[in-house]
Amino acid sequence: MANVVVVGAQWGDEGKGKIVDWLAEQADVVVRFQGGHNAGHTLVIDGTTYKLSLLPSGVVRGGTLSVIGNGVVVDPWHLVDEIARLKTQGVSITPESLRIADNATLILPLHRELDHFRENANAALKIGTTKRGIGPAYEDKVGRRAIRVVDLADADLLGAKIERLLAHHNALRRGLGIEEVDAAALKSELLAIAPQILPFADTVWALLDEARRAGQRILFEGAQGALLDVDHGTYPYVTSSNIVAAQAATGSGLGPSAIGYVLGIVKAYTTRVGEGPFPTELTDAIGEKIGERGREFGVVTGRKRRCGWFDAALVRQTVRTSGIDGIALTKLDILDGFETIKICTGYRLDGQVIDHLPASQADQARVEPVYETIDGWFETTAGARSWADLPAQAIKYVRRIEELIGTTVALLSTSPERDDTILVHNPFED
Ligand code: IMO
Ligand code: MG
């Protein structure tokens, strides 16, 4: 019985929410291991839509334990709001159903302010972040001056930690001309929210290790996508965490052998939000059509997503950097009705054909996609529940993707509804 890691295999927004929900029904524990409330995971259950940013998707179903691991950055005020919002939809979240790693890093208002300031200061330098303070919070974690969940329990130590943090931030803010942060005010804000956070705090690594030894099924829920990984993505146009599957171990406190099956979530075309290279981007009517049909607007920021053809070279790369064992292919139906469809198989750079995106930022901006064109299909694939329901050309497209990326389809999702799924191989039964 394998534990399963779900990772986005493109630039995020691959439709992870639905697949995680589909798998969560078979899991005992669902764990978030990186990122924060920059994620936007949409679940549709019996016609009701739930939008989650920070909470693991398991919270919506009873009977599974949800865990926020040490690798996540937690905005405590956002957490309280998200729990309250779900309560209005009838979802109750208690310390019995949710645990937060006591060694997870907190996102503070000063992180959000810095994120906003940098993004608004210079259009040429902007990354196009979600402005939620994710990057600045991870910087403080690595800089060894972050406030962590456990610090909320010790008022004296918290004061000293805040002094250390502000020695850095107030110097920065003076330089940028932003008003300095008052230590006493920050401390009282944190102590005011603490009673709503501390009941969820736990020694998550130990709890997960026990669950694993007891033979429970653990589902690791990745956010973002591997091309936004701080090491393996299109740096510097990335998020500030590791996203690749190996992070499931580090970000939850388990050893790498706890990871069983790695399921990559792959959209049948490509999208990206924010700045950065996108070789197969379509800025024409076809791109508009894909965006409209696919409702490609951000869950978190409402921004319009950039759209383009499927880039097999990039996904082949993430299949390798995440050790993907099989994929869940989503949103195939958005390509219904196109006369022809293009797939990028590699790039042309200075007259040479290359099979991967180079690391240099300048080269990434210059590569030209090499396309192969296949005939489309006019029948609808939406809602299909078996291969027999799919037009032959659609199957051909899927088979060609498998060949090019070097792994096979385990699940094919044909609508946001959980039952509209074609199962080839159950990742938990690997
Ligand atoms: P889910 O989990 C798509 C992108 C932002 C920006 C970059 C850095 O819904 O797939 P950040 O705020 O993280 O510092 O922004 O990363 N980004 C996402 N894009 N889906 C996401 O999450 C994303 N989370 C961050 O648009 O380009
Ligand atoms: Mg998103």
Side-chain angles (χ1 to χ4, degrees):
M1 189 193 322
N3 294 321
V4 175
V5 182
V6 168
V7 283
Q10 290 154 315
W11 277 296
D13 306 324
E14 299 91 352
K16 293 181 289 292
K18 166 184 162 167
I19 305 295
V20 169
D21 176 51
W22 192 91
L23 291 164
E25 198 171 45
Q26 304 170 58
D28 299 298
V29 189
V30 181
V31 190
R32 277 280 308 264
F33 55 88
Q34 49 71 233
H37 64 311
N38 48 350
H41 295 176
T42 305
L43 283 63
V44 182
I45 301 176
D46 299 331
T48 304
T49 301
Y50 302 89
K51 291 183 188 294
L52 303 173
S53 285
L54 178 59
L55 291 166
S57 295
V59 292
V60 178
R61 296 190 176 272
T64 46
L65 178 66
S66 293
V67 172
I68 294 180
N70 57 276
V72 175
V73 281
V74 180
D75 179 327
W77 296 276
H78 173 89
L79 179 75
V80 167
D81 285 350
E82 196 168 315
I83 290 174
R85 185 164 49 76
L86 281 167
K87 198 168 171 191
T88 66
Q89 290 194 284
V91 178
S92 140
I93 294 160
T94 65
E96 277 66 57
S97 60
L98 173 70
R99 305 289 164 77
I100 304 175
D102 53 8
N103 54 347
T105 293
L106 296 183
I107 301 181
L108 305 177
L110 56 82
H111 295 128
R112 196 178 54 238
E113 287 160 17
L114 190 56
D115 203 351
H116 270 266
F117 182 87
R118 288 175 178 161
E119 285 292 298
N120 297 339
N122 185 337
L125 296 181
K126 93 183 228 226
I127 302 290
T129 74
T130 61
K131 296 187 183 171
R132 298 210 151 180
I134 306 291
Y138 276 117
E139 288 169 32
D140 281 345
K141 171 181 176 170
V142 180
R144 296 167 291 197
R145 53 181 174 263
I147 311 291
R148 309 201 296 176
V149 170
V150 67
D151 299 327
L152 297 174
D154 184 336
D156 293 336
L157 192 63
L158 182 62
K161 292 229 162 189
I162 289 174
E163 291 300 334
R164 186 189 185 100
L165 179 74
L166 292 186
H168 174 83
H169 276 276
N170 280 339
L172 192 60
R173 291 167 78 103
R174 277 194 296 277
L176 294 171
I178 318 176
E179 196 190 337
E180 289 184 37
V181 176
D182 179 64
L186 177 57
K187 185 174 171 183
S188 63
E189 272 183 88
L190 283 168
L191 291 176
I193 197 86
Q196 293 181 76
I197 304 299
L198 288 171
F200 298 103
D202 206 343
T203 314
V204 154
W205 62 267
L207 176 150
L208 290 173
D209 184 53
E210 278 154 29
R212 177 190 173 203
R213 286 171 197 276
Q216 294 196 356
R217 284 178 166 187
I218 304 174
L219 175 62
F220 298 92
E221 177 180 6
Q224 289 82 54
L227 299 172
L228 290 168
D229 182 284
V230 69
D231 285 291
H232 300 288
T234 45
Y235 192 90
Y237 299 101
V238 294
T239 192
S240 297
S241 67
N242 282 114
I243 295 168
V244 293
Q247 174 64 16
T250 324
S252 64
L254 290 170
S257 59
I259 297 177
Y261 189 96
V262 180
L263 182 70
I265 314 300
V266 176
K267 188 151 60 179
Y269 50 94
T270 314
T271 63
R272 161 159 221 173
V273 211
E275 310 301 313
F278 183 171
T280 63
E281 182 170 16
L282 293 165
T283 51
D284 58 4
I286 299 177
E288 282 291 319
K289 185 171 163 187
I290 293 176
E292 268 164 39
R293 300 196 50 179
R295 290 184 298 276
E296 295 294 351
F297 292 91
V299 174
V300 172
T301 59
R303 287 179 293 176
K304 196 171 173 183
R305 298 178 185 142
R306 300 155 66 192
C307 298
W309 294 121
F310 186 77
D311 189 332
L314 279 179
V315 176
R316 185 163 63 229
Q317 204 162 320
T318 59
V319 163
R320 295 165 73 184
T321 55
S322 270
I324 289 172
D325 294 302
I327 65 163
L329 189 68
T330 63
K331 296 184 103 169
L332 181 66
D333 58 299
I334 305 307
L335 298 180
D336 293 352
F338 281 89
E339 208 153 306
T340 57
I341 297 173
K342 288 185 180 177
I343 307 177
C344 168
T345 58
Y347 310 104
R348 199 164 279 115
L349 182 68
D350 299 326
Q352 303 267 56
V353 172
I354 51 174
D355 70 349
H356 66 278
L357 193 65
S360 144
Q361 201 181 327
D363 289 346
Q364 288 183 356
R366 276 188 326 124
V367 295
E368 296 283 334
V370 175
Y371 285 118
E372 139 181 328
T373 304
I374 75 161
D375 286 338
W377 54 90
F378 293 95
E379 304 87 333
T380 174
T381 62
R385 294 189 183 183
S386 79
W387 290 101
D389 295 340
L390 296 178
Q393 266 315 110
I395 296 176
K396 204 168 155 192
Y397 180 65
V398 175
R399 294 291 177 236
R400 186 63 185 137
I401 285 178
E402 292 181 320
E403 263 168 29
L404 288 167
I405 67 175
T407 190
T408 54
V409 169
L411 293 165
L412 188 79
S413 160
T414 57
S415 99
E417 282 284 352
R418 68 189 317 265
D419 293 332
D420 291 337
T421 303
I422 300 174
L423 173 66
V424 179
H425 175 78
N426 186 340
F428 272 121
E429 282 159 14
D430 201 57

